[in-house]
Amino acid sequence: GAVVSQHPSWVICKSGTSVKIECRSLDFQATTMFWYRQFPKQSLMLMATSNEGSKATYEQGVEKDKFLINHASLTLSTLTVTSAHPEDSSFYICSALSGQLNTDTQYFGPGTRLTVL
Amino acid sequence: DAKTTQPPSMDCAEGRAANLPCNHSTISGNEYVYWYRQIHSQGPQYIIHGLKNNETNEMASLIITEDRKSSTLILPHATLRDTAVYYCIVIQGAQKLVFGQGTRLTINP
């Protein structure tokens, strides 16, 4: 149990385009999902917290209009990077939280590597 | 900022026990100690967590000192696939995880 998937696993896009990344909890319902970003040789940095059916809470310094998060169901959250630029190239990772399985434990997806040309 | 301190790197021989220390001297009474690891270019993997009692699962053991100011993650028989960055995180309830730099564990053949 506690499997989280992400799609796509990698994506290359042109500067100025938008990219959508999906995060799914496959065998449990996730009331809360988190989105992280990791630059090379750095640790994970939390971008935002999303709760099903409500607006996401963004960390300081993260532009909510650039990184659109939708958590429309208990098993799916999406992150859309709008008007992507080369500096947005990074490893994007989601995690899902379910009190049903192992109280308050976050389970992570495999990550999506975004390269903006 | 992370509430934990870990050595930046460690080496261990394959087949031996890997003991990864973590200091969390400011931990509060209702905060748990969580351990995750991240293998290169993958998402973090949950290993184990505990409050004050020692814990063991199929992956590892977690030893928490009586004063809860430090803990040790033990991989009993390390394999090459255990090479990863290990993160010790202190968290209360369903809060956001704050990742520090972790310990880069290298298992040598």
Side-chain angles (χ1 to χ4, degrees):
Chain A
V3 179
V4 178
S5 70
Q6 282 185 241
H7 178 79
S9 56
W10 60 270
V11 57
I12 300 173
C13 70
K14 294 182 179 180
S15 185
T17 61
S18 295
V19 175
K20 178 184 285 188
I21 302 170
E22 293 185 349
C23 176
R24 294 181 184 272
S25 55
L26 299 185
D27 51 4
F28 66 100
Q29 293 183 327
T31 53
T32 303
M33 288 186 171
F34 301 85
W35 286 95
Y36 296 80
R37 180 168 52 181
Q38 185 175 34
F39 292 107
K41 298 187 178 182
Q42 294 186 23
S43 191
L44 283 78
M45 292 295 293
L46 180 67
M47 299 176 66
T49 303
S50 74
N51 291 295
E52 186 265 337
S54 62
K55 290 184 178 180
T57 302
Y58 291 81
E59 295 298 299
Q60 191 173 8
V62 178
E63 301 175 57
K64 62 180 181 180
D65 294 330
K66 180 173 181 61
F67 300 98
L68 302 179
I69 293 172
N70 185 287
H71 192 165
S73 77
L74 288 173
T75 59
L76 173 64
S77 176
T78 61
L79 167 68
T80 301
V81 182
T82 62
S83 186
H85 289 96
E87 57 265 31
D88 297 323
S89 297
S90 188
F91 192 46
Y92 291 86
I93 311 167
C94 71
S95 70
L97 179 68
S98 171
Q100 298 173 317
L101 293 175
N102 196 345
T103 305
D104 300 331
T105 296
Q106 288 185 37
Y107 296 94
F108 286 81
T112 296
R113 187 162 300 283
L114 171 63
T115 301
V116 184
L117 302 177
Chain B
D1 292 332
K3 299 182 181 178
T4 62
T5 304
Q6 299 177 253
S9 64
M10 292 182 63
D11 285 86
C12 179
E14 186 179 19
R16 304 296 291 271
N19 299 296
L20 291 89
C22 179
N23 286 322
H24 31 79
S25 58
T26 61
I27 191 170
S28 62
N30 54 1
E31 288 183 315
Y32 286 78
V33 180
Y34 274 78
W35 283 83
Y36 286 84
R37 72 180 182 184
Q38 186 178 26
I39 297 171
H40 183 63
S41 295
Q42 297 182 24
Q45 177 187 22
Y46 165 75
I47 302 173
I48 199 168
H49 74 282
L51 183 61
K52 54 182 178 181
N53 296 323
N54 297 337
E55 302 289 343
T56 296
N57 62 21
E58 65 280 3
M59 290 184 66
S61 294
L62 174 60
I63 308 298
I64 303 174
T65 58
E66 193 169 342
D67 64 6
R68 302 210 322 126
K69 292 185 177 182
S70 65
S71 61
T72 301
L73 178 74
I74 302 173
L75 307 178
H77 305 286
T79 70
L80 298 179
R81 288 182 296 181
D82 292 322
T83 291
V85 178
Y86 286 76
Y87 296 98
C88 168
I89 301 172
V90 166
I91 185 171
Q92 174 187 347
Q95 293 182 340
K96 58 186 181 183
L97 297 175
V98 178
F99 285 82
Q101 294 305 307
T103 295
R104 183 172 298 277
L105 175 67
T106 302
I107 306 300
N108 300 308

PDB file of all heavy atoms in Angstrom, chain B residues 43-79:
ATOM      1  N   GLY B  43      12.032  10.008  -5.773  1.00  0.00           N
ATOM      2  CA  GLY B  43      11.359  10.657  -4.663  1.00  0.00           C
ATOM      3  C   GLY B  43      11.764  10.025  -3.350  1.00  0.00           C
ATOM      4  O   GLY B  43      12.208   8.876  -3.307  1.00  0.00           O
ATOM      5  N   PRO B  44      11.638  10.763  -2.250  1.00  0.00           N
ATOM      6  CA  PRO B  44      11.988  10.197  -0.942  1.00  0.00           C
ATOM      7  C   PRO B  44      11.133   8.976  -0.605  1.00  0.00           C
ATOM      8  O   PRO B  44       9.967   8.901  -0.973  1.00  0.00           O
ATOM      9  CB  PRO B  44      11.707  11.352   0.024  1.00  0.00           C
ATOM     10  CG  PRO B  44      11.837  12.572  -0.812  1.00  0.00           C
ATOM     11  CD  PRO B  44      11.318  12.180  -2.159  1.00  0.00           C
ATOM     12  N   GLN B  45      11.748   8.068   0.128  1.00  0.00           N
ATOM     13  CA  GLN B  45      11.070   6.842   0.554  1.00  0.00           C
ATOM     14  C   GLN B  45      10.945   6.847   2.064  1.00  0.00           C
ATOM     15  O   GLN B  45      11.941   7.051   2.776  1.00  0.00           O
ATOM     16  CB  GLN B  45      11.869   5.619   0.092  1.00  0.00           C
ATOM     17  CG  GLN B  45      11.298   4.286   0.543  1.00  0.00           C
ATOM     18  CD  GLN B  45      12.209   3.121   0.222  1.00  0.00           C
ATOM     19  OE1 GLN B  45      13.428   3.281   0.041  1.00  0.00           O
ATOM     20  NE2 GLN B  45      11.651   1.934   0.131  1.00  0.00           N
ATOM     21  N   TYR B  46       9.754   6.628   2.549  1.00  0.00           N
ATOM     22  CA  TYR B  46       9.531   6.540   3.992  1.00  0.00           C
ATOM     23  C   TYR B  46      10.230   5.297   4.548  1.00  0.00           C
ATOM     24  O   TYR B  46      10.159   4.213   3.948  1.00  0.00           O
ATOM     25  CB  TYR B  46       8.038   6.472   4.283  1.00  0.00           C
ATOM     26  CG  TYR B  46       7.697   6.027   5.702  1.00  0.00           C
ATOM     27  CD1 TYR B  46       7.854   6.892   6.785  1.00  0.00           C
ATOM     28  CD2 TYR B  46       7.239   4.734   5.940  1.00  0.00           C
ATOM     29  CE1 TYR B  46       7.542   6.472   8.070  1.00  0.00           C
ATOM     30  CE2 TYR B  46       6.928   4.326   7.223  1.00  0.00           C
ATOM     31  CZ  TYR B  46       7.078   5.187   8.282  1.00  0.00           C
ATOM     32  OH  TYR B  46       6.795   4.775   9.559  1.00  0.00           O
ATOM     33  N   ILE B  47      10.920   5.465   5.686  1.00  0.00           N
ATOM     34  CA  ILE B  47      11.584   4.328   6.301  1.00  0.00           C
ATOM     35  C   ILE B  47      10.883   3.929   7.584  1.00  0.00           C
ATOM     36  O   ILE B  47      10.407   2.806   7.733  1.00  0.00           O
ATOM     37  CB  ILE B  47      13.069   4.639   6.596  1.00  0.00           C
ATOM     38  CG1 ILE B  47      13.812   5.024   5.321  1.00  0.00           C
ATOM     39  CG2 ILE B  47      13.730   3.431   7.255  1.00  0.00           C
ATOM     40  CD1 ILE B  47      15.237   5.496   5.570  1.00  0.00           C
ATOM     41  N   ILE B  48      10.829   4.855   8.539  1.00  0.00           N
ATOM     42  CA  ILE B  48      10.332   4.520   9.860  1.00  0.00           C
ATOM     43  C   ILE B  48      10.069   5.795  10.626  1.00  0.00           C
ATOM     44  O   ILE B  48      10.584   6.853  10.262  1.00  0.00           O
ATOM     45  CB  ILE B  48      11.373   3.627  10.595  1.00  0.00           C
ATOM     46  CG1 ILE B  48      10.755   2.868  11.768  1.00  0.00           C
ATOM     47  CG2 ILE B  48      12.574   4.453  11.032  1.00  0.00           C
ATOM     48  CD1 ILE B  48      11.683   1.762  12.316  1.00  0.00           C
ATOM     49  N   HIS B  49       9.282   5.715  11.675  1.00  0.00           N
ATOM     50  CA  HIS B  49       9.121   6.868  12.548  1.00  0.00           C
ATOM     51  C   HIS B  49       8.817   6.383  13.962  1.00  0.00           C
ATOM     52  O   HIS B  49       8.399   5.225  14.164  1.00  0.00           O
ATOM     53  CB  HIS B  49       8.030   7.819  12.051  1.00  0.00           C
ATOM     54  CG  HIS B  49       6.616   7.328  12.267  1.00  0.00           C
ATOM     55  ND1 HIS B  49       6.031   6.378  11.454  1.00  0.00           N
ATOM     56  CD2 HIS B  49       5.683   7.680  13.179  1.00  0.00           C
ATOM     57  CE1 HIS B  49       4.795   6.171  11.859  1.00  0.00           C
ATOM     58  NE2 HIS B  49       4.555   6.946  12.911  1.00  0.00           N
ATOM     59  N   GLY B  50       9.024   7.287  14.937  1.00  0.00           N
ATOM     60  CA  GLY B  50       8.773   6.936  16.322  1.00  0.00           C
ATOM     61  C   GLY B  50       8.555   8.168  17.173  1.00  0.00           C
ATOM     62  O   GLY B  50       8.928   9.278  16.783  1.00  0.00           O
ATOM     63  N   LEU B  51       7.986   7.952  18.335  1.00  0.00           N
ATOM     64  CA  LEU B  51       7.744   9.055  19.267  1.00  0.00           C
ATOM     65  C   LEU B  51       8.749   9.001  20.417  1.00  0.00           C
ATOM     66  O   LEU B  51       9.518   9.927  20.624  1.00  0.00           O
ATOM     67  CB  LEU B  51       6.322   8.983  19.813  1.00  0.00           C
ATOM     68  CG  LEU B  51       5.908  10.118  20.748  1.00  0.00           C
ATOM     69  CD1 LEU B  51       5.962  11.465  20.046  1.00  0.00           C
ATOM     70  CD2 LEU B  51       4.517   9.859  21.316  1.00  0.00           C
ATOM     71  N   LYS B  52       8.748   7.917  21.171  1.00  0.00           N
ATOM     72  CA  LYS B  52       9.722   7.774  22.253  1.00  0.00           C
ATOM     73  C   LYS B  52      10.213   6.348  22.430  1.00  0.00           C
ATOM     74  O   LYS B  52      11.311   6.130  22.929  1.00  0.00           O
ATOM     75  CB  LYS B  52       9.165   8.295  23.564  1.00  0.00           C
ATOM     76  CG  LYS B  52       7.820   7.701  23.973  1.00  0.00           C
ATOM     77  CD  LYS B  52       7.350   8.342  25.262  1.00  0.00           C
ATOM     78  CE  LYS B  52       5.981   7.800  25.687  1.00  0.00           C
ATOM     79  NZ  LYS B  52       5.503   8.444  26.937  1.00  0.00           N
ATOM     80  N   ASN B  53       9.431   5.394  21.978  1.00  0.00           N
ATOM     81  CA  ASN B  53       9.863   4.006  22.062  1.00  0.00           C
ATOM     82  C   ASN B  53      10.688   3.635  20.834  1.00  0.00           C
ATOM     83  O   ASN B  53      10.535   4.220  19.767  1.00  0.00           O
ATOM     84  CB  ASN B  53       8.665   3.070  22.153  1.00  0.00           C
ATOM     85  CG  ASN B  53       7.869   3.305  23.417  1.00  0.00           C
ATOM     86  OD1 ASN B  53       8.419   3.588  24.470  1.00  0.00           O
ATOM     87  ND2 ASN B  53       6.553   3.201  23.301  1.00  0.00           N
ATOM     88  N   ASN B  54      11.550   2.666  21.000  1.00  0.00           N
ATOM     89  CA  ASN B  54      12.291   2.161  19.856  1.00  0.00           C
ATOM     90  C   ASN B  54      11.332   1.438  18.915  1.00  0.00           C
ATOM     91  O   ASN B  54      10.349   0.827  19.348  1.00  0.00           O
ATOM     92  CB  ASN B  54      13.393   1.209  20.323  1.00  0.00           C
ATOM     93  CG  ASN B  54      14.420   1.909  21.189  1.00  0.00           C
ATOM     94  OD1 ASN B  54      14.585   3.123  21.119  1.00  0.00           O
ATOM     95  ND2 ASN B  54      15.104   1.141  22.023  1.00  0.00           N
ATOM     96  N   GLU B  55      11.599   1.549  17.632  1.00  0.00           N
ATOM     97  CA  GLU B  55      10.736   0.947  16.631  1.00  0.00           C
ATOM     98  C   GLU B  55      11.559   0.107  15.668  1.00  0.00           C
ATOM     99  O   GLU B  55      12.726   0.411  15.415  1.00  0.00           O
ATOM    100  CB  GLU B  55       9.992   2.033  15.835  1.00  0.00           C
ATOM    101  CG  GLU B  55       9.133   2.978  16.653  1.00  0.00           C
ATOM    102  CD  GLU B  55       7.881   2.331  17.213  1.00  0.00           C
ATOM    103  OE1 GLU B  55       7.514   1.246  16.709  1.00  0.00           O
ATOM    104  OE2 GLU B  55       7.284   2.901  18.141  1.00  0.00           O
ATOM    105  N   THR B  56      10.915  -0.925  15.131  1.00  0.00           N
ATOM    106  CA  THR B  56      11.568  -1.777  14.139  1.00  0.00           C
ATOM    107  C   THR B  56      10.548  -2.174  13.086  1.00  0.00           C
ATOM    108  O   THR B  56       9.401  -2.462  13.405  1.00  0.00           O
ATOM    109  CB  THR B  56      12.149  -3.048  14.795  1.00  0.00           C
ATOM    110  OG1 THR B  56      13.180  -2.674  15.707  1.00  0.00           O
ATOM    111  CG2 THR B  56      12.755  -3.973  13.743  1.00  0.00           C
ATOM    112  N   ASN B  57      10.981  -2.144  11.838  1.00  0.00           N
ATOM    113  CA  ASN B  57      10.161  -2.687  10.763  1.00  0.00           C
ATOM    114  C   ASN B  57      11.062  -3.471   9.820  1.00  0.00           C
ATOM    115  O   ASN B  57      12.229  -3.733  10.134  1.00  0.00           O
ATOM    116  CB  ASN B  57       9.362  -1.595  10.050  1.00  0.00           C
ATOM    117  CG  ASN B  57      10.241  -0.556   9.371  1.00  0.00           C
ATOM    118  OD1 ASN B  57      11.422  -0.812   9.088  1.00  0.00           O
ATOM    119  ND2 ASN B  57       9.667   0.603   9.122  1.00  0.00           N
ATOM    120  N   GLU B  58      10.526  -3.818   8.676  1.00  0.00           N
ATOM    121  CA  GLU B  58      11.283  -4.666   7.760  1.00  0.00           C
ATOM    122  C   GLU B  58      12.485  -3.948   7.146  1.00  0.00           C
ATOM    123  O   GLU B  58      13.370  -4.589   6.602  1.00  0.00           O
ATOM    124  CB  GLU B  58      10.377  -5.195   6.649  1.00  0.00           C
ATOM    125  CG  GLU B  58       9.810  -4.129   5.718  1.00  0.00           C
ATOM    126  CD  GLU B  58       8.608  -3.418   6.309  1.00  0.00           C
ATOM    127  OE1 GLU B  58       8.233  -3.699   7.467  1.00  0.00           O
ATOM    128  OE2 GLU B  58       8.030  -2.567   5.598  1.00  0.00           O
ATOM    129  N   MET B  59      12.508  -2.655   7.230  1.00  0.00           N
ATOM    130  CA  MET B  59      13.602  -1.893   6.626  1.00  0.00           C
ATOM    131  C   MET B  59      14.701  -1.546   7.619  1.00  0.00           C
ATOM    132  O   MET B  59      15.889  -1.573   7.273  1.00  0.00           O
ATOM    133  CB  MET B  59      13.079  -0.606   6.004  1.00  0.00           C
ATOM    134  CG  MET B  59      12.234  -0.792   4.767  1.00  0.00           C
ATOM    135  SD  MET B  59      11.766   0.791   4.050  1.00  0.00           S
ATOM    136  CE  MET B  59      13.353   1.427   3.521  1.00  0.00           C
ATOM    137  N   ALA B  60      14.289  -1.149   8.818  1.00  0.00           N
ATOM    138  CA  ALA B  60      15.279  -0.588   9.737  1.00  0.00           C
ATOM    139  C   ALA B  60      14.777  -0.608  11.173  1.00  0.00           C
ATOM    140  O   ALA B  60      13.624  -0.964  11.435  1.00  0.00           O
ATOM    141  CB  ALA B  60      15.567   0.857   9.322  1.00  0.00           C
ATOM    142  N   SER B  61      15.683  -0.201  12.070  1.00  0.00           N
ATOM    143  CA  SER B  61      15.326   0.013  13.471  1.00  0.00           C
ATOM    144  C   SER B  61      15.611   1.459  13.822  1.00  0.00           C
ATOM    145  O   SER B  61      16.546   2.062  13.277  1.00  0.00           O
ATOM    146  CB  SER B  61      16.125  -0.905  14.391  1.00  0.00           C
ATOM    147  OG  SER B  61      15.790  -2.254  14.177  1.00  0.00           O
ATOM    148  N   LEU B  62      14.792   1.989  14.714  1.00  0.00           N
ATOM    149  CA  LEU B  62      14.964   3.363  15.178  1.00  0.00           C
ATOM    150  C   LEU B  62      15.139   3.328  16.686  1.00  0.00           C
ATOM    151  O   LEU B  62      14.262   2.832  17.406  1.00  0.00           O
ATOM    152  CB  LEU B  62      13.743   4.210  14.800  1.00  0.00           C
ATOM    153  CG  LEU B  62      13.713   5.638  15.337  1.00  0.00           C
ATOM    154  CD1 LEU B  62      14.913   6.440  14.845  1.00  0.00           C
ATOM    155  CD2 LEU B  62      12.409   6.335  14.930  1.00  0.00           C
ATOM    156  N   ILE B  63      16.269   3.860  17.120  1.00  0.00           N
ATOM    157  CA  ILE B  63      16.565   3.925  18.546  1.00  0.00           C
ATOM    158  C   ILE B  63      16.509   5.377  18.972  1.00  0.00           C
ATOM    159  O   ILE B  63      17.238   6.223  18.434  1.00  0.00           O
ATOM    160  CB  ILE B  63      17.964   3.352  18.863  1.00  0.00           C
ATOM    161  CG1 ILE B  63      18.126   1.952  18.251  1.00  0.00           C
ATOM    162  CG2 ILE B  63      18.201   3.337  20.371  1.00  0.00           C
ATOM    163  CD1 ILE B  63      17.167   0.937  18.791  1.00  0.00           C
ATOM    164  N   ILE B  64      15.633   5.693  19.903  1.00  0.00           N
ATOM    165  CA  ILE B  64      15.479   7.057  20.402  1.00  0.00           C
ATOM    166  C   ILE B  64      15.953   7.096  21.849  1.00  0.00           C
ATOM    167  O   ILE B  64      15.544   6.258  22.662  1.00  0.00           O
ATOM    168  CB  ILE B  64      14.002   7.516  20.315  1.00  0.00           C
ATOM    169  CG1 ILE B  64      13.498   7.407  18.872  1.00  0.00           C
ATOM    170  CG2 ILE B  64      13.844   8.949  20.819  1.00  0.00           C
ATOM    171  CD1 ILE B  64      12.022   7.709  18.709  1.00  0.00           C
ATOM    172  N   THR B  65      16.817   8.052  22.156  1.00  0.00           N
ATOM    173  CA  THR B  65      17.331   8.148  23.524  1.00  0.00           C
ATOM    174  C   THR B  65      16.208   8.501  24.484  1.00  0.00           C
ATOM    175  O   THR B  65      15.169   9.057  24.091  1.00  0.00           O
ATOM    176  CB  THR B  65      18.441   9.189  23.617  1.00  0.00           C
ATOM    177  OG1 THR B  65      17.926  10.457  23.177  1.00  0.00           O
ATOM    178  CG2 THR B  65      19.630   8.797  22.761  1.00  0.00           C
ATOM    179  N   GLU B  66      16.445   8.222  25.746  1.00  0.00           N
ATOM    180  CA  GLU B  66      15.400   8.422  26.746  1.00  0.00           C
ATOM    181  C   GLU B  66      14.976   9.886  26.845  1.00  0.00           C
ATOM    182  O   GLU B  66      13.797  10.199  27.048  1.00  0.00           O
ATOM    183  CB  GLU B  66      15.897   7.936  28.111  1.00  0.00           C
ATOM    184  CG  GLU B  66      14.780   7.808  29.148  1.00  0.00           C
ATOM    185  CD  GLU B  66      15.240   7.080  30.392  1.00  0.00           C
ATOM    186  OE1 GLU B  66      16.276   6.389  30.345  1.00  0.00           O
ATOM    187  OE2 GLU B  66      14.542   7.191  31.411  1.00  0.00           O
ATOM    188  N   ASP B  67      15.939  10.795  26.694  1.00  0.00           N
ATOM    189  CA  ASP B  67      15.595  12.228  26.731  1.00  0.00           C
ATOM    190  C   ASP B  67      15.075  12.721  25.390  1.00  0.00           C
ATOM    191  O   ASP B  67      14.716  13.901  25.270  1.00  0.00           O
ATOM    192  CB  ASP B  67      16.787  13.061  27.192  1.00  0.00           C
ATOM    193  CG  ASP B  67      17.970  12.995  26.229  1.00  0.00           C
ATOM    194  OD1 ASP B  67      17.827  12.393  25.148  1.00  0.00           O
ATOM    195  OD2 ASP B  67      19.028  13.526  26.552  1.00  0.00           O
ATOM    196  N   ARG B  68      15.035  11.861  24.395  1.00  0.00           N
ATOM    197  CA  ARG B  68      14.519  12.147  23.054  1.00  0.00           C
ATOM    198  C   ARG B  68      15.309  13.219  22.315  1.00  0.00           C
ATOM    199  O   ARG B  68      14.854  13.719  21.290  1.00  0.00           O
ATOM    200  CB  ARG B  68      13.043  12.539  23.113  1.00  0.00           C
ATOM    201  CG  ARG B  68      12.154  11.513  23.733  1.00  0.00           C
ATOM    202  CD  ARG B  68      10.737  11.479  23.224  1.00  0.00           C
ATOM    203  NE  ARG B  68      10.166  12.774  22.934  1.00  0.00           N
ATOM    204  CZ  ARG B  68       9.625  13.099  21.767  1.00  0.00           C
ATOM    205  NH1 ARG B  68       9.590  12.228  20.778  1.00  0.00           N
ATOM    206  NH2 ARG B  68       9.104  14.297  21.581  1.00  0.00           N
ATOM    207  N   LYS B  69      16.492  13.534  22.763  1.00  0.00           N
ATOM    208  CA  LYS B  69      17.250  14.584  22.095  1.00  0.00           C
ATOM    209  C   LYS B  69      18.088  14.057  20.941  1.00  0.00           C
ATOM    210  O   LYS B  69      18.701  14.833  20.206  1.00  0.00           O
ATOM    211  CB  LYS B  69      18.141  15.303  23.114  1.00  0.00           C
ATOM    212  CG  LYS B  69      17.336  16.115  24.120  1.00  0.00           C
ATOM    213  CD  LYS B  69      18.236  16.911  25.035  1.00  0.00           C
ATOM    214  CE  LYS B  69      17.393  17.774  25.987  1.00  0.00           C
ATOM    215  NZ  LYS B  69      18.233  18.620  26.881  1.00  0.00           N
ATOM    216  N   SER B  70      18.140  12.771  20.787  1.00  0.00           N
ATOM    217  CA  SER B  70      18.847  12.215  19.642  1.00  0.00           C
ATOM    218  C   SER B  70      18.276  10.843  19.308  1.00  0.00           C
ATOM    219  O   SER B  70      17.562  10.229  20.112  1.00  0.00           O
ATOM    220  CB  SER B  70      20.350  12.114  19.914  1.00  0.00           C
ATOM    221  OG  SER B  70      20.595  11.185  20.952  1.00  0.00           O
ATOM    222  N   SER B  71      18.595  10.391  18.106  1.00  0.00           N
ATOM    223  CA  SER B  71      18.136   9.075  17.683  1.00  0.00           C
ATOM    224  C   SER B  71      19.144   8.484  16.707  1.00  0.00           C
ATOM    225  O   SER B  71      20.011   9.201  16.182  1.00  0.00           O
ATOM    226  CB  SER B  71      16.751   9.149  17.037  1.00  0.00           C
ATOM    227  OG  SER B  71      16.764   9.978  15.881  1.00  0.00           O
ATOM    228  N   THR B  72      19.018   7.190  16.479  1.00  0.00           N
ATOM    229  CA  THR B  72      19.887   6.487  15.542  1.00  0.00           C
ATOM    230  C   THR B  72      19.045   5.575  14.668  1.00  0.00           C
ATOM    231  O   THR B  72      18.216   4.810  15.177  1.00  0.00           O
ATOM    232  CB  THR B  72      20.937   5.641  16.279  1.00  0.00           C
ATOM    233  OG1 THR B  72      21.726   6.490  17.110  1.00  0.00           O
ATOM    234  CG2 THR B  72      21.839   4.920  15.283  1.00  0.00           C
ATOM    235  N   LEU B  73      19.240   5.698  13.388  1.00  0.00           N
ATOM    236  CA  LEU B  73      18.617   4.781  12.434  1.00  0.00           C
ATOM    237  C   LEU B  73      19.604   3.664  12.155  1.00  0.00           C
ATOM    238  O   LEU B  73      20.768   3.925  11.851  1.00  0.00           O
ATOM    239  CB  LEU B  73      18.264   5.503  11.131  1.00  0.00           C
ATOM    240  CG  LEU B  73      17.642   4.619  10.050  1.00  0.00           C
ATOM    241  CD1 LEU B  73      16.198   4.293  10.417  1.00  0.00           C
ATOM    242  CD2 LEU B  73      17.714   5.282   8.690  1.00  0.00           C
ATOM    243  N   ILE B  74      19.149   2.438  12.265  1.00  0.00           N
ATOM    244  CA  ILE B  74      20.024   1.294  12.048  1.00  0.00           C
ATOM    245  C   ILE B  74      19.526   0.471  10.860  1.00  0.00           C
ATOM    246  O   ILE B  74      18.379   0.009  10.853  1.00  0.00           O
ATOM    247  CB  ILE B  74      20.100   0.393  13.297  1.00  0.00           C
ATOM    248  CG1 ILE B  74      20.603   1.194  14.499  1.00  0.00           C
ATOM    249  CG2 ILE B  74      21.000  -0.816  13.041  1.00  0.00           C
ATOM    250  CD1 ILE B  74      20.540   0.439  15.809  1.00  0.00           C
ATOM    251  N   LEU B  75      20.394   0.340   9.870  1.00  0.00           N
ATOM    252  CA  LEU B  75      20.149  -0.601   8.778  1.00  0.00           C
ATOM    253  C   LEU B  75      20.964  -1.833   9.107  1.00  0.00           C
ATOM    254  O   LEU B  75      22.193  -1.787   9.041  1.00  0.00           O
ATOM    255  CB  LEU B  75      20.581   0.002   7.438  1.00  0.00           C
ATOM    256  CG  LEU B  75      20.032   1.370   7.078  1.00  0.00           C
ATOM    257  CD1 LEU B  75      20.594   1.843   5.749  1.00  0.00           C
ATOM    258  CD2 LEU B  75      18.520   1.351   7.047  1.00  0.00           C
ATOM    259  N   PRO B  76      20.353  -2.932   9.483  1.00  0.00           N
ATOM    260  CA  PRO B  76      21.095  -4.049  10.087  1.00  0.00           C
ATOM    261  C   PRO B  76      22.103  -4.728   9.168  1.00  0.00           C
ATOM    262  O   PRO B  76      23.169  -5.124   9.615  1.00  0.00           O
ATOM    263  CB  PRO B  76      19.985  -5.018  10.514  1.00  0.00           C
ATOM    264  CG  PRO B  76      18.801  -4.645   9.703  1.00  0.00           C
ATOM    265  CD  PRO B  76      18.911  -3.178   9.438  1.00  0.00           C
ATOM    266  N   HIS B  77      21.799  -4.860   7.921  1.00  0.00           N
ATOM    267  CA  HIS B  77      22.705  -5.521   6.974  1.00  0.00           C
ATOM    268  C   HIS B  77      22.704  -4.709   5.681  1.00  0.00           C
ATOM    269  O   HIS B  77      21.920  -4.982   4.777  1.00  0.00           O
ATOM    270  CB  HIS B  77      22.277  -6.959   6.697  1.00  0.00           C
ATOM    271  CG  HIS B  77      22.140  -7.802   7.924  1.00  0.00           C
ATOM    272  ND1 HIS B  77      23.230  -8.269   8.632  1.00  0.00           N
ATOM    273  CD2 HIS B  77      21.049  -8.239   8.588  1.00  0.00           C
ATOM    274  CE1 HIS B  77      22.812  -8.968   9.669  1.00  0.00           C
ATOM    275  NE2 HIS B  77      21.485  -8.957   9.677  1.00  0.00           N
ATOM    276  N   ALA B  78      23.540  -3.715   5.635  1.00  0.00           N
ATOM    277  CA  ALA B  78      23.508  -2.770   4.518  1.00  0.00           C
ATOM    278  C   ALA B  78      23.882  -3.444   3.203  1.00  0.00           C
ATOM    279  O   ALA B  78      24.792  -4.277   3.141  1.00  0.00           O
ATOM    280  CB  ALA B  78      24.452  -1.610   4.790  1.00  0.00           C
ATOM    281  N   THR B  79      23.163  -3.058   2.146  1.00  0.00           N
ATOM    282  CA  THR B  79      23.483  -3.521   0.801  1.00  0.00           C
ATOM    283  C   THR B  79      23.809  -2.311  -0.067  1.00  0.00           C
ATOM    284  O   THR B  79      23.566  -1.159   0.323  1.00  0.00           O
ATOM    285  CB  THR B  79      22.308  -4.284   0.170  1.00  0.00           C
ATOM    286  OG1 THR B  79      21.252  -3.346  -0.117  1.00  0.00           O
ATOM    287  CG2 THR B  79      21.778  -5.368   1.103  1.00  0.00           C
TER     288      THR B  79
END
